[in-house]
Amino acid sequence: VKGIAENQAEIIVGTNNFHGRTTTIVGFSTDADYKRGFGPFSGGFVPATYGDIHAFEAAITPNTCAVLIEPIQGEAGIIAPPDGFLTKLRALCDKHNVLLILDEIQSGLGRTGKMFAFQHEDMRPDGLILGKALGGGVLPVSAFLADKAVMDLFDPGSHGSTFGGNPLAAAVALEALVVLEEEDLAGRSAELGALMRRRIEDMASPLIRQVRGKGLWLGVEFWPEKAAAKDAVKRLKSRGILAKETHATTIRLAPPLVIEKADLEWALGQFEAVLQDIERASYGEPERYAAE
């Protein structure tokens, strides 16, 4: 459509991205750990500093066909771009006739307190990648969404997938979408996510450097000299809480969207206890626990 010469098209991606684990995908990661042992990699991908609209503008050339980013970066540690970035990026892509594709495999379907994370801004992508929650926890399914202007370019046989269009997976995905709407799980995520964030911030732990995220999807970053995320994750596991560390200093918390308030309160109590355990192990009995 744009008339880019054969094999010259480029896609701009964000730094610190994570879009999956195929060799093409890890090939444009800026994290060496994801790439080690999997080369050689495909070309055609240009990284730009995530959240920096000027960096994305500078990366665009006549060969740019698309921009692919996560509206909130999950594996990077629940990193959100500055407010208004997605809206500016939408305008930039329109200006240069570039497709804007958002990967909402982790952030979509209610996780951030909206059905999709991009809905926190007044914009709309050209393409949307979904997965994980789309299967309702029952079986794997992923999907690519776009308007007819994009989808009608696919001719029969021009795109294939071993499990693409699996009727059982499609039925499960449709039912998962019904449940998301009927039970207003995005609304629950917004309400309980605000509670979770407030409770963690109120803990006022000296270990915590920053709490960030939206809805029931938070990243808790520790001061690197005070605590290791992996240690905290292991301690949480011993108390019945499964979480994931990333980049050594951040724990990602993503409770089920159907979690009951009482269960969330219990989990947050366990989290606070782990923080106290780490403080005691590192600094002895802090004065603020003397009355307990």
Side-chain angles (χ1 to χ4, degrees):
V1 170
K2 194 171 179 180
I4 299 173
E6 185 75 10
N7 298 324
Q8 297 301 310
E10 295 177 340
I11 296 176
I12 299 174
V13 297
T15 51
N16 300 315
N17 66 75
F18 182 85
H19 296 283
R21 294 192 181 273
T22 64
T23 53
T24 297
I25 297 297
V26 298
F28 62 77
S29 171
T30 58
D31 190 325
D33 288 341
Y34 294 142
K35 302 171 75 168
R36 189 174 296 113
F38 287 98
F41 302 109
S42 303
F45 298 95
V46 179
T49 303
Y50 183 77
D52 184 342
I53 193 64
H54 301 296
F56 275 79
E57 185 168 24
I60 292 177
T61 73
N63 289 337
T64 304
C65 65
V67 169
L68 169 63
I69 65 163
E70 305 153 86
I72 296 178
Q73 293 185 323
E75 292 290 327
I78 320 298
I79 305 295
D83 290 343
F85 172 76
L86 294 178
T87 303
K88 293 176 182 177
L89 190 59
R90 171 72 278 172
L92 183 65
C93 289
D94 289 341
K95 176 182 176 182
H96 293 277
N97 192 24
V98 169
L99 292 176
L100 176 55
I101 302 172
L102 298 183
D103 178 347
E104 293 235 29
I105 290 175
Q106 292 194 41
S107 62
L109 301 173
R111 173 53 62 186
T112 68
K114 299 278 189 182
M115 184 62 82
F116 304 113
F118 75 81
Q119 292 175 321
H120 289 282
E121 294 194 24
D122 183 21
M123 59 82 66
R124 188 171 183 270
D126 297 300
L128 195 62
I129 306 170
L130 300 178
K132 296 188 185 298
L134 187 61
V138 179
L139 85 170
V141 57
S142 58
F144 176 72
L145 287 67
D147 290 329
K148 286 186 177 181
V150 173
M151 301 303 277
D152 283 352
L153 295 174
F154 287 99
D155 298 320
S158 65
H159 178 67
S161 172
T162 300
F163 293 107
N166 179 285
L168 177 59
V172 169
L174 288 171
E175 188 58 30
L177 294 173
V178 169
V179 172
L180 279 164
E181 289 195 347
E182 287 185 347
E183 299 187 12
D184 187 24
L185 295 186
R188 282 179 55 81
S189 179
E191 179 183 350
L192 295 179
L195 166 67
M196 181 167 71
R197 182 168 191 148
R198 185 170 62 252
R199 280 277 283 107
I200 293 174
E201 290 176 340
D202 287 347
M203 293 173 191
S205 171
L207 304 179
I208 295 177
R209 180 179 186 177
Q210 186 180 39
V211 181
R212 53 180 178 260
K214 296 180 185 295
L216 284 171
W217 202 33
L218 296 184
V220 180
E221 183 179 355
F222 295 141
W223 292 102
E225 68 275 14
K226 293 184 178 180
K230 180 163 261 186
D231 175 41
V233 164
K234 289 179 178 179
R235 291 173 183 269
L236 284 169
K237 181 181 177 183
S238 70
R239 290 176 172 270
I241 307 293
L242 295 179
K244 176 71 170 67
E245 85 284 354
T246 183
H247 297 287
T249 59
T250 301
I251 293 180
R252 291 178 293 159
L253 300 175
L257 302 189
V258 295
I259 193 170
E260 295 295 334
K261 183 178 179 181
D263 293 327
L264 180 61
E265 291 277 14
W266 173 83
L268 290 168
Q270 300 304 308
F271 184 76
E272 184 170 25
V274 163
L275 297 180
Q276 294 173 357
D277 288 344
I278 294 174
E279 285 186 60
R280 290 188 178 103
S282 300
Y283 310 111
E285 194 72 16
E287 190 174 304
R288 66 194 183 107
Y289 302 139
E292 292 184 7

